């Protein structure tokens, strides 16, 4: 058996981790944490330490850890047929059943699903499908895609460009053409504190309208947004936002992509965020909750209107020149089928709604009026606490004080994994959707104690 010391040494020597301070990690300045097991909302590392996972991995383990039903479905599929491709009309029973189940749960106007492996490649597919559809319908100049500052849509070249966060742009020469960004619907950081939510939504819609007009509507193909901003700070849209944005898109014949990689399959207490906020997208991106991350699988769900444009293209130009070897991989599809069945059986979406309401109430009770808390916000089982130097004047901490990261570290010390979001001093929480009210209370109690530790160290307690 490999010892922890040897694994840590090999880790430093061999493993370039994603989203990690690479040099410091290789020098052993950041500890390696080797996760060994998980059950429900808790994970366990090889040192025997247990943590409440307040972020469900990367907001993806929707049904919780340790579900034998999914493990068995993957094993059974592996014994029967580990792999066959999906090109040229081939498929497996699992992939076809999953496509049917996804469409059954998606909004009524959605028509087909294209499977990939990650949220990033699904958004890459979305961009290509839209460009293809514009070419197929005789509009080759209509190719620009508008995203929002603080949006997160992946880490590839195109999807990293759609992302609107400095960390993912600055050192990589992104964003690429023809990706544009518009105002983030971040009410707490609105330009004028006197603005109501509705007025701020109007402001965001007017900014989008002005951008489309300045670029020329005949050059703008699509707008992409997460129903609720995720990695950019866990920010629910202000009242009226999606209604006003969709009115602008309709006026200029611009398609809507709802990136539901995080919100798909229950996180907000509805099956999809699009249902939750009355969005009528032409594409929905799904990943994480599709298999609860038991296997890597993503999808692009196309509306009937977009599918007809793509079908016209293939009628005129031949087969779609876009595919991955692992599209609709049978093992991942089997995990997806078992996962969606569990989501129904365990009433996971209803639990996200009901325990989510308890979770949000507990967070407000714990943090409203706290000396370093500017805002508590969220929806369902997705929430954020934003730390500021002076809540009265909305004065932010200097980034060098790393307040968000310090609160996350203090929480970890006390047994809770919560995530310091990459831009701002924001503690994000998005636990597995099987969370119980008692676990919600435990989680919020630890988060509050961690914030108190840091407030005390800052002399603000
Ligand atoms: N879209 C959203 C909204 C996400 O939150 C993420 C990842 O967190 C992605 C896309 C990218 O997914 P992946 O990391 O699987 O490529």
């Amino acid at each position: 058996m490999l010892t922890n010391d040897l694994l840590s040494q090999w880790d430093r020597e061999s493993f370039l981790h994603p989203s990690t301070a690479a040099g410091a990690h290789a020098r052993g300045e950041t500890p390696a944490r080797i996760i060994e097991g998980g059950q429900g909302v808790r994970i366990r590392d090889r040192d025997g330490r247990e943590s409440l996972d307040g972020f469900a991995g990367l907001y993806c383990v929707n049904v919780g850890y340790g579900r034998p039903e999914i493990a068995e479905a993957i094993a059974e599929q592996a014994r029967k047929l580990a792999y066959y491709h999906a090109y040229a009309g081939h498929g497996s029973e699992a992939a076809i059943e999953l496509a049917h189940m996804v469409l059954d749960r998606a909004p009524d106007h959605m028509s087909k699903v294209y499977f990939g492996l990650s949220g990033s490649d699904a958004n890459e597919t979305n961009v290509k499908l839209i460009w293809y559809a514009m070419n197929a319908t005789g509009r080759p100049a209509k190719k620009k895609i508008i995203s929002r500052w603080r949006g997160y849509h992946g880490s590839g070249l195109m999807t990293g460009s759609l992302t609107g966060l400095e960390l993912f742009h600055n050192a990589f020469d992104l964003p690429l053409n023809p990706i544009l960004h518009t105002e983030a619907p971040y009410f707490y950081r609105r330009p004028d504190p006197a603005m109501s939510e509705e007025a701020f939504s109007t402001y965001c819609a007017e900014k989008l309208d002005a951008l489309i007009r300045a670029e020329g509507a005949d050059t703008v193909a699509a707008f992409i947004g997460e129903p609720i901003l995720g990695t950019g700070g866990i920010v629910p849209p202000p009242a009226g936002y999606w209604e006003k944005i969709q009115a602008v898109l309709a006026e200029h014949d611009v398609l809507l992509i709802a990136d539901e990689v995080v919100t798909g399959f229950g996180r907000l207490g509805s099956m999809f965020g699009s249902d939750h906020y009355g969005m009528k997208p032409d594409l929905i991106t799904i990943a994480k909750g599709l298999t609860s991350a038991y296997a890597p699988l993503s999808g692009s769900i196309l509306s009937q209107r977009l599918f007809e444009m793509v079908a016209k293209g293939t009628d005129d130009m031949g087969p779609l020149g876009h595919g991955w070897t692992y599209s609709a991989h049978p093992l991942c599809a089997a995990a997806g089928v078992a996962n969606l069945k569990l989501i129904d059986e365990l009433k996971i979406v209803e639990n996200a709604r009901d325990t989510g309401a308890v979770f949000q109430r507990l967070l407000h009770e714990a943090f409203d009026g706290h000396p370093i808390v500017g805002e508590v916000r969220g929806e369902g089982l997705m929430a954020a606490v934003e730390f500021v130097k002076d809540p009265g004047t909305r004065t932010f901490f200097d980034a060098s004080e790393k307040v968000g990261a310090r609160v996350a570290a203090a929480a970890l010390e006390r047994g809770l994994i919560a995530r310091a979001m990459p831009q701002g001093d924001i503690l994000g929480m998005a636990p597995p959707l099987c969370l119980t009210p008692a676990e919600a209370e435990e989680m919020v109690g630890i988060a509050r104690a961690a914030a108190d530790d840091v407030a005390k160290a800052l002399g603000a307690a």
Side-chain angles (χ1 to χ4, degrees):
M1 162 127 155
L2 298 169
T3 64
N4 284 359
D5 284 349
L6 184 62
L7 280 175
S8 293
Q9 182 194 327
W10 285 356
D11 182 62
R12 281 198 301 280
E13 288 172 358
S14 336
F15 193 172
L16 177 59
H17 291 257
S19 284
T20 297
H25 193 76
R27 291 189 298 274
E29 293 163 18
T30 55
R33 189 170 186 204
I34 307 163
I35 308 303
E36 188 173 55
Q39 196 61 42
V41 300
R42 289 170 210 271
I43 57 152
R44 191 181 62 252
D45 68 20
R46 280 187 49 134
D47 293 319
R49 263 188 315 167
E50 201 178 75
S51 304
L52 258 176
D53 186 2
F55 216 77
L58 287 171
Y59 22 42
C60 51
V61 188
N62 285 16
V63 294
Y65 294 95
R67 297 284 181 195
E69 298 88 339
I70 306 181
E72 278 154 23
I74 296 171
E76 192 188 323
Q77 182 65 48
R79 280 191 291 268
K80 197 163 67 179
L81 175 74
Y83 174 76
Y84 200 73
H85 66 79
Y87 280 40
H90 290 83
S92 62
E93 181 182 330
I96 295 168
E97 185 178 3
L98 184 62
H100 175 77
M101 290 175 84
V102 166
L103 262 299
D104 209 31
R105 286 156 180 75
D108 286 346
H109 68 290
M110 304 314 279
S111 164
K112 302 281 180 291
V113 57
Y114 181 98
F115 288 114
L117 288 164
S118 70
S120 296
D121 75 44
N123 277 327
E124 194 80 20
T125 292
N126 291 344
V127 172
K128 287 186 71 184
L129 286 177
I130 284 170
W131 287 355
Y132 185 86
M134 292 303 125
N135 288 335
T137 52
R139 295 175 288 174
K142 201 168 167 70
K143 293 282 168 54
K144 292 173 189 165
I145 314 253
I146 301 179
S147 178
R148 284 104 43 100
W149 293 116
R150 286 188 177 264
Y152 187 80
H153 303 293
S155 276
L157 285 175
M158 192 50 74
T159 55
S161 298
L162 293 171
T163 289
L165 293 165
E166 290 162 13
L167 180 68
F168 296 86
H169 282 175
N170 290 355
F172 297 100
D173 299 349
L174 298 180
L176 299 177
N177 260 332
I179 306 297
L180 305 164
H181 292 86
T182 185
E183 190 80 18
Y186 200 148
F187 184 64
Y188 184 65
R189 293 180 181 236
R190 63 201 176 280
D192 175 1
M195 267 182 184
S196 67
E197 284 195 40
E198 283 280 350
F200 180 56
S201 293
T202 302
Y203 171 86
C204 293
E206 285 173 356
K207 285 259 179 184
L208 175 63
D209 184 64
L211 180 59
I212 296 173
R213 286 178 195 280
E215 296 290 327
D218 53 348
T219 71
V220 180
F223 176 83
I224 184 168
E226 303 148 86
I228 156 170
L229 278 171
T231 303
I234 306 192
V235 188
Y241 177 80
W242 281 115
E243 192 187 334
K244 291 174 203 284
I245 291 290
Q246 288 182 105
V248 172
L249 301 179
E251 186 183 343
H252 297 295
D253 191 19
V254 171
L255 303 178
L256 172 63
I257 309 168
D259 186 341
E260 298 232 29
V261 166
V262 170
T263 53
F265 307 102
R267 181 142 303 277
L268 304 181
S270 301
M271 186 58 82
F272 286 94
S274 296
D275 304 327
H276 203 82
Y277 292 118
M279 298 165 71
K280 199 161 181 258
D282 298 283
L283 276 162
I284 298 178
T285 323
I286 51 174
K288 304 182 187 272
L290 175 59
T291 60
S292 289
Y294 278 68
L297 188 69
S298 65
S300 301
I301 314 178
L302 289 73
S303 66
Q304 180 61 22
R305 136 168 119 151
L306 181 65
F307 174 68
E308 282 169 13
M309 295 185 217
V310 171
K312 178 177 182 325
T314 58
D315 288 346
D316 295 346
M317 299 186 271
L320 193 65
H322 176 72
W324 322 117
T325 299
Y326 296 140
S327 291
H329 194 291
L331 296 189
C332 308
V337 169
N339 172 62
L340 294 190
K341 285 183 181 163
L342 262 187
I343 286 180
D344 290 350
E345 279 164 33
L346 301 172
K347 298 201 183 322
I348 285 288
V349 181
E350 294 81 349
N351 188 60
R353 183 193 61 209
D354 298 343
T355 305
V358 173
F359 183 56
Q360 302 291 342
R361 174 176 55 75
L362 291 170
L363 282 167
H364 278 285
E365 285 170 12
F367 286 105
D368 284 347
H370 191 280
I372 60 165
V373 171
E375 187 176 58
V376 179
R377 55 179 179 253
E379 187 73 25
L381 281 172
M382 194 171 177
V385 179
E386 178 149 8
F387 299 102
V388 292
K389 193 166 184 167
D390 183 348
T393 56
R394 209 181 50 163
T395 308
F396 298 101
F397 284 110
D398 193 89
S400 64
E401 295 202 68
K402 297 187 180 348
V403 172
R406 284 161 68 185
V407 177
L412 184 60
E413 198 57 36
R414 291 172 172 275
L416 168 68
I417 297 172
R419 188 166 182 220
M421 308 311 285
Q423 208 161 298
D425 292 302
I426 300 162
L427 190 73
M429 279 169 277
L433 307 186
C434 57
L435 190 78
T436 64
E439 288 161 345
E441 203 170 332
E442 190 183 347
M443 209 169 266
V444 173
I446 298 176
R448 167 69 205 240
D452 288 350
D453 291 346
V454 175
K456 206 163 148 196
L458 291 165

